[in-house]
Amino acid sequence: MATMTSTRTRATLTTATASDPNNWHPLEIIFPVFRRWPSTRARDLLYTLIWNMLLWAAISAVVLMTGSPKDLGRFLWVNFVITQSVGFTIHLLFEVGNYLLGKQVAQSRGAVRALYFIAIPVTGVFVGYTLAFVMLDLKGAITWLYSSRGARSVAIASLIISAILATITTMRAKQSAAEAALAQERQRTIDAERRALEAQLRMLQAQIEPHFLYNTLGNAVGLIDPAPDKARILLERLIDYLRSTLSASREDTAPLERELASVRAYLELMQVRMGDRLRFSLDYPEALTHACLPPMLLQPVVENAIQHGLEPKIDGGTIRIEATQQDAMLRIQITDTGIGFQPGARPRPGGGIGLANLRERLATLYGTDARLTITDHSPSGVCVTLHLPLTYC
Amino acid sequence: MTAPTALIADDETALADYLKAQLADVWPELRVVGMAHNGVDALRLIDELAPDYAFLDIRMPGLSGLDVAGKLAGSDAAPQIVFITAYDQYAVDAFEREAVDYLLKPASLDRLRQTVTRLQRAASEMAAAPAARPDAELLSKLAGLLGGGVPSNRLEWIRAAHGNETRLIAVDEVIYFEARDKYVSVFTADAESLIRTPLKELLDGLDPAKFWQIHRGTIVAARHIAGTVRDFRGRTLVKLKTRPDQLVVSRAYLHLFRQM
């Protein structure tokens, strides 16, 4: 009898309320398939019902194998009522216990924790049995339950319950540890993928357009005879530009000063080519000299502004680059007075893709901490604003 | 016989000057009567000066070289045209396939000499080489081959209200659109903005391969879909890769996800 009792009391062990993120039901620990549905109060009640039914079936099967009771129907019914009553009582007690003491229990260890997990099932068995016997109108059984023999049975049962509880709790702990290890492994993979993606995106942004290179070299050749000084400036700036662009794929971060120097090299080069059609300004406070930037982040934005904003405009225009500090953020604004985005205009090859690429890079590097906004600039042109978390290097 | 005349159009002054100097070398009789630095000036100067030859850069502000040639096509007074292009294998292939005369920037003297020889031969035969006077059809074909020439009615940018500023959102960045009472909400990875364009009108401008309507009031970018789940009510919900939102798929659009 004692063994039977103890087996039945395994019925319900809901150790946390629905609001607890660490909520779990013993059913989902024994049978992983039940982990598929997120924990809610209704789900847990249903799980307890399933658990009770499974136990009832198991106990009935064991008893029927060892010998046949006189009245089979009566036996099954009594057993059913007891399993359900004890199971739901323990469920209810854990709900109440966790509601009142959930936090303390979660933080507690050793003896206090053991006491909690022993006290609730023991109380649950007594109350559950009492309720079942009342419902079944078995007065003699109640008397037995509160006799010394009955109490001893339950005491033994409770020891076994605690052992089972300990097993399940250990299983749960192992499972969480395994899950944590898996999550860590997954995170490592994600990190590796993220780094690979970032490297790839950076490579894409650091690509030098053949068009640009041939036009620049064409200019240089053209300037050698009529304006050798200009040709020299052009080639020097081209070397600066190539050096920073080609080395960008090797480093993870670069100080603002250096990034803007390479932007300046590009703009000065373009100024030789475009003449007075291109005017530019570059501004940042001294304090931001060593602010950290991912390399080649600004360059494509500036190249975009020139290629799609100023070059197609007959009179050209101005490009203004401004870095400021805003609270804990580095804010960089690149404004051009070019043709802007005209509805129905010819698609700008690479325009949207370049920016999508940039946005992807920001997301890879900073998650949601970085922002990229594009707005119209009045009366014409585009304003690109970047917000990055401010760090120094 | 009067000296042949030419116009050079290139937005980069140095390149135009250089070509002029090279032409002086290989074709001393040729008089460069005009230099233009954008497509609009080129067209005006050709009209005014009626040169025999026009060397037109493809990429110019105002009008492209192909645009200028297109406007001249069919007119008897049109000059013979040589396109100038920076190196781009596609461009070279396109010109060669259509047998249009072209020069690579920066042109070597040898290459320029070949072009000049061809132009002179055509002039001495007193018959304009048809290829040097491309017709409108050929030009639009070229524009297509070179890419970026054909205006498309696909939506590329969306102007959306975000707080009190108007943001430009590339259509590629949009994760999904959701119709609200009077507005449509545009969701990107980090923001929600409002537009007034009705969903139905948006659909016309979106690439149906990239944007799927999954509900009367929802259009989602296919590449942002992580998968679908069923909720306890039996509805199919779309899970997104970069946003936590779950979007309801209405029955009429369930076929989109049958194989997922």
Side-chain angles (χ1 to χ4, degrees):
Chain A
M1 188 70 196
T3 333
M4 265 177 66
T5 315
S6 71
T7 332
R8 272 174 225 167
T9 40
R10 267 203 338 208
T12 313
L13 304 165
T14 315
T15 58
T17 55
S19 59
D20 186 343
N22 295 317
N23 206 356
W24 51 273
H25 193 283
L27 191 63
E28 62 187 314
I29 292 174
I30 311 280
F31 304 107
V33 63
F34 287 104
R35 281 174 218 158
R36 285 172 57 178
W37 296 278
S39 174
T40 62
R41 195 156 268 147
R43 184 206 78 156
D44 287 346
L45 277 170
L46 181 67
Y47 279 14
T48 297
L49 180 68
I50 296 171
W51 179 269
N52 295 345
M53 300 294 267
L54 288 174
L55 270 168
W56 170 63
I59 292 161
S60 303
V62 169
V63 171
L64 288 176
M65 271 190 286
T66 48
S68 52
K70 270 170 262 161
D71 182 349
L72 180 65
R74 176 69 181 165
F75 165 76
L76 288 177
W77 169 245
V78 169
N79 228 337
F80 178 79
V81 174
I82 294 174
T83 349
Q84 297 294 347
S85 171
V86 169
F88 279 112
T89 305
I90 293 179
H91 185 122
L92 180 74
L93 287 174
F94 268 116
E95 285 276 358
V96 174
N98 286 339
Y99 178 73
L100 298 174
L101 303 164
K103 229 181 249 173
Q104 287 88 329
V105 171
Q107 287 163 358
S108 69
R109 302 193 167 275
V112 181
R113 205 178 163 86
L115 190 68
Y116 180 79
F117 282 105
I118 291 170
I120 287 191
V122 171
T123 320
V125 171
F126 270 103
V127 176
Y129 264 77
T130 310
L131 282 173
F133 291 155
V134 169
M135 280 187 282
L136 294 162
D137 205 18
L138 293 172
K139 296 218 172 67
I142 300 178
T143 321
W144 167 82
L145 183 65
Y146 291 94
S147 70
S148 63
R149 265 189 63 208
R152 199 175 59 227
S153 291
V154 174
I156 295 168
S158 71
L159 277 176
I160 300 170
I161 299 160
S162 326
I164 293 162
L165 263 173
T167 314
I168 289 185
T169 317
T170 316
M171 276 173 79
R172 169 68 189 170
K174 272 190 188 151
Q175 183 191 316
S176 326
E179 274 168 13
L182 190 68
Q184 207 179 357
E185 187 53 44
R186 199 174 296 145
Q187 188 58 45
R188 254 201 297 276
T189 318
I190 291 170
D191 283 348
E193 275 172 10
R194 191 186 60 80
R195 273 195 299 274
L197 177 66
E198 157 61 8
Q200 197 189 345
L201 289 170
R202 196 194 297 167
M203 284 277 287
L204 276 174
Q205 296 208 303
Q207 260 167 17
I208 296 165
E209 233 195 301
H211 217 277
F212 164 80
L213 211 51
Y214 285 100
N215 264 323
T216 304
L217 291 172
N219 264 278
V221 175
L223 288 168
I224 287 174
D225 281 334
D229 286 354
K230 272 192 178 176
R232 202 188 65 232
I233 294 175
L234 189 68
L235 287 173
E236 281 172 359
R237 292 298 92 86
L238 180 64
I239 290 165
D240 292 343
Y241 170 82
L242 289 177
R243 184 170 289 138
S244 52
T245 303
L246 297 176
S247 71
S249 24
R250 282 184 234 125
E251 282 163 75
D252 287 337
T253 53
L256 180 74
E257 186 186 32
R258 206 166 74 208
E259 283 303 288
L260 288 182
S262 90
V263 166
R264 181 185 290 278
Y266 172 77
L267 286 169
E268 284 179 355
L269 181 160
M270 287 309 293
Q271 214 166 27
V272 175
R273 283 176 48 181
M274 292 172 67
D276 53 14
R277 287 177 61 227
L278 172 62
R279 295 167 294 279
F280 72 87
S281 69
L282 268 167
D283 285 304
Y284 62 95
E286 187 82 34
L288 290 179
T289 307
H290 291 286
C292 241
L293 276 183
M296 288 307 290
L297 197 73
L298 302 181
Q299 191 79 40
V301 181
V302 176
E303 288 179 23
N304 246 4
I306 298 261
Q307 273 176 31
H308 304 296
L310 298 183
E311 266 189 327
K313 199 177 172 188
I314 290 182
D315 306 326
T318 307
I319 180 159
R320 207 177 73 226
I321 300 159
E322 207 179 6
T324 48
Q325 182 179 349
Q326 247 181 17
D327 302 320
M329 301 291 271
L330 171 64
R331 173 178 175 273
I332 303 173
Q333 198 161 53
I334 296 151
T335 316
D336 70 71
T337 62
I339 54 169
F341 298 98
Q342 286 162 351
R346 286 180 174 160
R348 296 151 52 121
I353 309 229
L355 285 168
N357 184 344
L358 177 64
R359 212 177 274 275
E360 203 166 330
R361 250 192 106 189
L362 290 177
T364 315
L365 289 166
Y366 300 105
T368 51
D369 294 339
R371 279 204 322 274
L372 168 71
T373 14
I374 305 160
T375 51
D376 281 319
H377 176 66
S378 177
S380 74
V382 173
C383 176
V384 175
T385 312
L386 279 159
H387 283 90
L388 311 174
L390 181 56
T391 53
Y392 294 94
C393 52
Chain B
M1 189 179 164
T2 52
T5 54
L7 172 121
I8 297 172
D10 192 321
D11 58 327
E12 301 194 28
T13 326
L15 291 175
D17 291 343
Y18 182 48
L19 182 61
K20 186 180 176 186
Q22 283 180 306
L23 280 170
D25 255 10
V26 301
W27 195 355
E29 310 91 82
L30 184 75
R31 273 198 312 128
V32 175
V33 290
M35 303 282 271
H37 300 300
N38 61 63
V40 178
D41 283 352
L43 196 61
R44 184 176 51 79
L45 286 176
I46 289 170
D47 203 37
E48 262 171 40
L49 306 169
D52 301 316
Y53 305 98
F55 294 83
L56 302 176
D57 185 17
I58 298 280
R59 261 171 59 164
M60 275 191 296
L63 294 166
S64 77
L66 292 174
D67 290 337
V68 173
K71 297 216 183 273
L72 295 167
S75 110
D76 288 339
Q80 294 205 43
I81 289 167
V82 178
F83 290 112
I84 319 170
T85 178
Y87 179 81
D88 179 329
Q89 196 53 52
Y90 290 113
V92 171
D93 288 349
F95 289 120
E96 267 167 5
R97 197 166 344 146
E98 302 305 331
V100 172
D101 213 351
Y102 69 93
L103 280 174
L104 280 181
K105 275 200 280 194
S108 67
L109 280 179
D110 280 347
R111 180 66 183 76
L112 187 61
R113 221 169 261 132
Q114 277 179 30
T115 296
V116 166
T117 313
R118 197 178 310 157
L119 292 173
Q120 285 169 333
R121 193 184 309 138
S124 70
E125 283 167 8
M126 293 298 289
R133 289 225 173 95
D135 60 17
E137 195 188 331
L138 181 60
L139 287 164
S140 76
K141 197 168 161 193
L142 265 178
L145 285 169
L146 295 176
V150 191
S152 88
N153 51 7
R154 285 252 186 276
L155 214 51
E156 283 211 63
W157 292 91
I158 291 169
R159 277 188 173 73
H162 187 95
N164 47 12
E165 64 180 6
T166 303
R167 284 194 184 170
L168 283 154
I169 301 169
V171 166
D172 289 340
E173 290 167 27
V174 175
I175 296 174
Y176 69 98
F177 297 97
E178 193 165 63
R180 299 280 156 92
D181 293 344
K182 284 181 193 162
Y183 302 94
V184 170
S185 280
V186 183
F187 291 86
T188 52
D190 53 359
E192 174 184 352
S193 317
L194 294 175
I195 54 174
R196 282 172 186 279
T197 320
L199 216 54
K200 217 172 181 176
E201 211 170 293
L202 271 176
L203 263 182
D204 295 338
L206 296 171
D207 184 347
K210 290 181 181 164
F211 286 91
W212 298 354
Q213 182 164 28
I214 56 162
H215 190 273
R216 193 164 42 84
T218 320
I219 302 174
V220 63
R223 69 184 185 98
H224 286 288
I225 296 177
T228 59
V229 283
R230 301 284 296 270
D231 72 354
F232 62 94
R233 285 165 57 188
R235 299 181 304 179
T236 300
L237 302 176
V238 163
K239 284 171 80 169
L240 300 167
K241 285 179 187 157
T242 39
R243 284 190 71 95
D245 325 350
Q246 299 199 338
L247 313 174
V248 178
V249 182
S250 70
R251 197 162 299 180
Y253 302 100
L254 273 180
H255 62 274
L256 290 168
F257 300 100
R258 202 136 289 164
Q259 294 300 316
M260 283 174 78

